Amino acid sequence: AAKEAGRDTLRYYSPEMNVLAMERLTLERDLRRALQDDPSQLVLYYQPQVDAATGECVGCEALVRWQHPVRGLMLPGEFIPLAERSGLIVELGRWVLAEACAEQARWSDSGMQLPVSVNLSPIQLERSDLQPYVKALLQRHGMMKGALELELTEGALMNEDDHHLQAFNGLMALGCRFALDDFGTGYSSLSRLRRFPISRLKIDRGFVRTLPGNTDDEAVVRATLSMARDMGMDVVAEGVETQAQSDCLQQLGCRIMQGYWFARPMPADQLRAFVSGVRQPVGPD
Ligand code: C2E
Ligand code: MG
Ligand code: MG
Ligand code: MG
């Protein structure tokens, strides 16, 4: 209560901007502390990627959450931008990679072969120590080729110097696969896309939301699928929320889907149950 009063007083006497800046600094300090002293505040949820034709779970995406001591469970949208601005994304990204690889290896040890996809910030890709870090993880856990997929948005392909391309190739040599996240929302040219060793396109959920019925978005999906086929890439549709969307996508030729219709992001133990066919009620995202 005293804390609330304190905050209100501050709000009363300070211009709104300062309060926002203060809150951001506080959150940044909290995140730094969590990373240094109490990483158990961080947790990975996993969202299944399902082959809609067979119902089989063929992969999963690791999505970070932060159990903040005061604010409760926070979604990445509430702290990833701050982590990127402050540079904490490097450490946070390392934690995510380490945790996802450790979990994937546990699945593998128990006979569950399921690739895991991890979101990478372009800032991580710029660090020359990313490749050795990932290499050490893959070796430590004896992970198979293709067990770790890295998701990047088109922004990561925009960088003009070839450092990015080298980073991609270095990671690919380790057996990592790459997926292009939120595909269709960026501005990467096809010629540029060709230069990168991308093995999957993830159709942004903005194009899925209006299916069936929106002929423009259907055309985008169709074009993405045919381009992917020509370039030897897979396609995953993101944000599939209804049976009708799933049916429509399947008719268009897209099989792999991720979205609330199939499953929400869930803790690792629930994912195991999901994969082994025991569907459990899923909690809030
Ligand atoms: P993303 O990589 O595009 O991840 C998909 C987001 O869509 C997730 O949100 C997921 O919960 C949500 N989603 C999945 N299915 C549906 C659906 O059917 N409907 C709707 N409306 N949403 C759906 P989340 O977990 O809040 O993550 C948001 C973004 O934060 C991610 O977008 C990704 O860009 C970023 N992010 C998450 N985890 C990490 C991480 O470990 N590192 C980095 N750098 N970024 C992360
Ligand atoms: Mg993603
Ligand atoms: Mg996405
Ligand atoms: Mg996104």
Side-chain angles (χ1 to χ4, degrees), residues 181-182 204 238:
D181 209 349
D182 306 340
D204 189 72
E238 287 194 282

Side-chain angles (χ1 to χ4, degrees), residues 47 61 64-65 76 96 119 181-182 205 238-239 241 259-260 265:
Q47 187 177 32
E61 177 173 10
V64 68
R65 273 94 181 91
V96 170
N119 291 283
D181 209 349
D182 306 340
R205 73 163 175 268
E238 287 194 282
E241 292 183 347
Y260 296 168

